[in-house]
Amino acid sequence: MGLLSKKATCNTHGQDSSYFLGWEEYEKNPYDEIKNPDGIIQMGLAENQLSFDLIESWLAKNPDAANFKREGQSIFRELALFQDYHGLPSFKNAMADFMSENRGNRVSFNPDKLVLTAGATSANETLMFCLADRGDAFLLPTPYYPGFDRDLKWRTGAEIVPIQCTSANGFRITKSALEEAYEQAQKLNLKVKGVLITNPSNPLGTTTTRTELNHLLDFISRKKIHLISDEIYSGTVFTSPGFISVMEVLKDRKLENTDVFDRVHIVYSLSKDLGLPGFRVGVIYSNDDFVVSAATKMSSFGLISSQTQYLLSTLLSDKNFTKNYLEENQIRLKNRHKKLVSGLEAAGIECLKSNAGLFCWVDMRHLLKSNTFEAEIELWKKIVYEVKLNISPGSSCHCNEPGWFRVCFANMSEETLKVALDRLKGFVDGPSSTRRSQIEHQRLKNLRKMKVSNWVFRLSFHDREPEER
């Protein structure tokens, strides 16, 4: 151990989070309809498997793309040789067009301001390296994607300070919450470099409103800091209200060519909208030439293969396909979301009203033995080990209210979802349910603010070994 680096031996990766521990339990005993019907069903993975047939159909009709041919002639050797880390122009053009199409062509994207990365994970970390020094902080609204504790902090040394959002207003971002988070960072002697949001939200499954986006732009303007908008789920919006990109609000407010415009950066990926996380395709879009230049240099540590770029540039350039895919995928997501919500309602469980994403933010507060995070983890363990469903507890997302869970619905067949819902209903209707009264349910629903355990909101600064601080 003494021969290893501090980074290799530290415990700040976040792998011990219940979010990742649930995955580990699933991998030990994965559900299979035929081979292992009593296994754990994976409902903690935000993966879109609902529209693979559309992409497979396109590949069957366009064999040259997958066979690395152009006009019938092999270009394998061309793709196999060294490629500049700026990426293939054809792919960057196709990505810029697809991002515009995904936003109803209300805004356009300049391919010269795109930086290609090996997925959104790499994109977010690269932006941290570009915008923050070790010990600087970014503000994130809660609840947030558990992987951010790893992606944003582990290698960069950046810190996360939570913007506390509550169920009282549907976990919306408010002016006061932004100011309180900024003040909290100052008390901790942390320099705030920016705010990072996911829009649509992971884990809430809701789109950020125009009001919230205006609050954010006003806030970063006053504080002279950055805003990162992770829009990886922008194509998964399946019902109203529609998706509003921060780029649209910048345009509507005529903020182009201003310092605020240069401090707004977008992260995108094909992992969720097209269901291609294994292809490792992500992008950074920035109006700041220095950020684009630095991020492009850093991208050499996580490139997208030329073969992947060629295949996807061909697919994304087929406008008939992309139009039909986006429309059909949204219809399928809407139908699957409806099945999950109705199945949960049949089990006496409600969800936050949502309109996007591959998951629901599920309210199980009435199933807790007490209004504590310890009770939440106890319930989570029962669901994983007894009900055999891997879902993500709200505390892993730094939610400030015990009893919320993220439940994914697009990474499995409809038949598997039915099995999962039947298991959950059986658990809720079981003998132990008699101990949970309707009075307690109503009391918990009416709570507005709760005392929060410090460990839910701990900063990476406090998790570090003393010599790392």
Side-chain angles (χ1 to χ4, degrees), residues 210-267:
R210 188 176 292 272
T211 297
E212 289 174 288
L213 291 169
N214 278 317
H215 288 335
L216 288 161
L217 290 176
D218 291 341
F219 181 73
I220 69 161
S221 178
R222 290 196 307 273
K223 305 298 185 184
K224 299 195 180 303
I225 58 177
H226 296 272
L227 173 63
I228 299 173
S229 180
D230 185 333
E231 300 182 356
I232 189 174
Y233 291 99
S234 56
T236 69
V237 182
F238 47 79
T239 190
S240 62
F243 173 69
I244 303 172
S245 171
V246 68
M247 290 295 291
E248 294 178 46
V249 181
L250 287 167
K251 179 183 176 183
D252 293 345
R253 292 179 57 166
K254 297 180 171 53
L255 290 174
E256 300 101 320
N257 303 316
T258 67
D259 61 331
V260 174
F261 196 66
D262 290 343
R263 295 202 305 275
V264 175
H265 321 276
I266 289 177
V267 167

Side-chain angles (χ1 to χ4, degrees), residues 15 20-31 36 40-42 45 390:
Q15 197 72 29
F20 292 109
L21 292 177
W23 282 36
E24 290 179 10
E25 293 306 311
Y26 162 76
E27 289 166 358
K28 294 175 187 175
N29 184 25
Y31 170 83
N36 190 22
I40 296 174
I41 296 175
Q42 174 63 289
L45 178 60
N390 177 37

Side-chain angles (χ1 to χ4, degrees), residues 446-461:
N446 290 337
L447 287 175
R448 288 296 177 260
K449 289 192 177 181
M450 307 174 187
K451 184 176 180 181
V452 180
S453 300
N454 289 333
W455 65 271
V456 177
F457 307 114
R458 61 185 182 181
L459 301 176
S460 61
F461 178 85

